[in-house]
Every structure is written in structure tokens, then in C-alpha cells.
Amino acid sequence: MLIVFGTRPEAIKMAPVIEGLRKYPRLHTRVLVTGQHRELLDQALGTFGIIADVKLSLMNVGATLDAALAAMLAAIGTALERERPARVVVHGDTLTTLATTLAAYLRGIPVAHVEAGLRSGDLSAPWPEEGSRRVAGALADLHFAPTEAAVAALRAENVPAAAIHLTGNTAADALRIVRKRIAAEPTVADAVAPVLARFAGRRIVTVTVHRRESHGKALAEIAEALTQLAGREDVGVVVPLHPNPEVAGPLAARFSGCERIALVPALAYPAFVRLMAASTLVLTNSGGIWRCRGVLLRKKAGGSVRADD
């Protein structure tokens, strides 16, 4: 069983799956990471004590998405020839997932898709993720869906009922694992302590924004809205910065000198969990953010916003 992923969110969400699979001695479970987000990925692997069996260095393999996909397809294909797994397991909708699914399909290796069935109905949003997950949905033979809506989407695409399994979202399992670790070892989340002290007595609003759809004009509009929000005396806004310069640069320039907006480096997952727990509100354009308690605003498949417990 070869588990393949390349980004930090995938590592977080696949950690409980890896832990579960490794409890079965008859399964030989190995992990291949593509390094799509090298530094952030290593951070997440360390959090969950995952040691990759195969490491590829594919973070900067192409200036364009097609060049990156071509390099990934070739490198992952070579790794599959060497590993010769009975099955490949992929997650979600990243470029790593697309390349791995295609490479496995071309070699007749069955693919299991975790977080299957998410659909927006619009190939341009999220882009290119919507296309990646549709390809994975067409080629995988096992589909692990996080919600009833995802199950319904797969059935509408004529995926056999026997191939669909409603599992819930593994992000919730990862969150539970990390909360227990913080309770046993509070220092693992100390990186966020300074900003919590800075905004003591204020209502903290945590914001993550990194998706391609938010670059450029959209990011400027988000920054303006956050500046208005931070005009409230009772609020402190915390923005963990994604290292992508298309995000970090404009936000750093816009928020320079804003007393009630704190830009912090990308946080390790335990510190981010502690930050969420201390927040009154979490604003995000990522479907991978889960709150410890209270209300979280996140996008539905169709693009609108809902509150989830």
C-alpha cells in the first residue's frame, strides 16, 4: 500500500489514515512524498511522527502547472516502477494527486481516493483543483467520501455504490490527535504564545488566505476588509502568512503599521490549533481548516459560506 501526497494539508489529513493502516500487520504500508511544499510538508510530517519511505524533490520542477505536472508524472511513475505497490492511496485535489492517479492508472495500479466526491460544479473554481479531483474520481476504484453530499456527487457520476465509502473528514481525526498532544505537551504549541499575549483581552480573528483565486485584486479587497475589521478596539486579527510571495508580499505591505493586525510566519499545526482554540472567529478560503469548538466559516462546494460546528 503506497500512500502518496505532497503538501502540508495532505500530510495533516492523511496522518490518521497512515496511523490506521499501520495497525494492520498484514498490510505493508509505505509513504511517498513529492515535496510539493517542502518546508511546510516537513513541518507537518514532524508533527505526526511520519517518516517518508520515499522522498522526491519536486517543489520547483516547473514554472508552469503543465511543466510541474509533467515532471511529477515522470518522477512518480519511476517511483511506482520501483515500489510496485498493490494499491496507491491519494488525497484530495492537488497536483500530486492528479499526477499520481494518472501514473498509477497508466500502470494498471488501482487507486483509492481519500476526500473523494467534493464538487463545485465549476471547473474554474477552485482552479485547478476541481479538474484534479474530477480526474481522480473518474480513475479511482475506491472512493472515501467525507460527507453525504460527496457521496451523492459520486453517485450522480455513476460511481458504483459498492466503491463509495462514507468516512467523515480525516481532518477531524488529525485535530483530535493534535489536541491530545497539546494537552500532554503544551510546549509544542508555544510558537503562538507571543501573539496571544499581544491580543490578550481582545477577540481574536484568525485569517488564512492563500488560494489562487484570492491573488491580485481579490487579495487586495480581502486586505481592505480586514483593515476595516481591525478598526474595532475589541478585535485583534492574526494572519499566518503562506510563504507564496503572491500572498505574503502584498499582505505585508498592506498591513505594515496596523496595530491590531499581526502577521506571523506559517505556524506548525499544533500552534495553529492553539490559535484556533483561542479565536472568536476563523475566516478562511481553505476547506482544510477545522475549529476545535464554536463556529467556523468555510466554503460549501457551490462557493457560498456556511457555519459548521
Side-chain angles (χ1 to χ4, degrees):
M1 191 84 71
L2 186 65
I3 316 295
V4 184
F5 53 85
T7 68
R8 177 174 63 173
E10 289 174 292
I12 292 169
K13 294 179 184 180
M14 289 298 273
V17 178
I18 295 167
E19 180 182 286
L21 288 172
R22 285 182 168 166
K23 291 178 180 178
Y24 291 89
R26 293 179 63 186
L27 287 178
H28 182 46
T29 302
R30 288 171 62 79
V31 175
L32 183 155
V33 297
T34 63
Q36 192 176 332
H37 292 168
R38 179 78 273 167
E39 183 179 341
L40 297 180
L41 175 63
D42 287 345
Q43 193 182 77
L45 293 174
T47 294
F48 292 96
I50 298 171
I51 299 174
D53 300 288
V54 183
K55 284 188 176 183
L56 306 179
S57 297
L58 299 175
M59 183 172 180
N60 298 306
V61 291
T64 61
L65 288 173
D66 53 351
L69 177 61
M72 282 189 177
L73 189 59
I76 293 169
T78 298
L80 292 179
E81 296 284 354
R82 184 174 58 250
E83 292 289 313
R84 302 181 68 81
R87 173 173 293 280
V88 165
V89 184
V90 297
H91 181 279
D93 50 22
T94 66
L95 206 61
T96 291
T97 295
L98 176 60
T100 303
T101 300
L102 289 170
Y105 171 73
L106 292 173
R107 288 163 178 79
I109 302 170
V111 175
H113 188 200
V114 177
E115 200 177 81
L118 301 186
R119 300 289 185 270
S120 71
D122 181 355
L123 277 170
S124 66
W127 179 87
E129 289 84 358
E130 178 73 5
S132 296
R133 60 198 185 195
R134 289 199 203 183
V135 171
L139 299 180
D141 72 328
L142 284 177
H143 307 258
F144 299 109
T147 65
E148 292 281 6
V151 170
L154 291 167
R155 288 176 177 165
E157 294 171 4
N158 297 316
V159 175
I164 304 171
H165 303 272
L166 178 62
T167 61
N169 197 317
T170 59
D173 300 298
L175 182 58
R176 293 186 189 102
I177 291 169
V178 170
R179 288 185 69 191
K180 288 180 181 178
R181 184 180 174 193
I182 293 172
E185 190 182 349
T187 56
V188 299
D190 276 355
V192 78
V195 76
L196 295 182
R198 173 178 166 180
F199 291 143
R202 287 194 168 97
R203 294 193 290 176
I204 292 175
V205 177
T206 294
V207 180
T208 74
V209 53
H210 68 275
R211 296 188 60 82
R212 290 181 181 86
E213 304 96 295
S214 300
H215 293 182
K217 180 182 177 182
L219 187 63
E221 291 173 347
I222 290 170
E224 177 59 30
L226 293 177
T227 302
Q228 293 181 34
L229 180 61
R232 294 176 57 108
E233 291 286 343
D234 62 334
V235 164
V237 178
V238 182
V239 185
L241 276 179
H242 194 279
N244 186 333
E246 294 287 336
V247 175
L251 291 185
R254 180 65 182 84
F255 296 146
S256 177
C258 293
E259 179 185 349
R260 287 188 287 276
I261 298 181
L263 300 179
V264 299
L267 296 168
Y269 191 53
F272 186 69
V273 169
R274 182 179 173 189
L275 176 61
M276 287 195 294
S279 298
T280 299
L281 179 68
V282 178
L283 299 174
T284 179
N285 63 3
S286 171
I289 303 299
W290 281 69
R291 267 293 302 272
C292 305
R293 55 176 166 32
V295 173
L296 161 67
L297 298 181
R298 69 183 179 92
K299 283 186 178 180
K300 288 198 299 184
S304 59
V305 174
R306 71 165 181 260
D308 286 328
D309 290 328

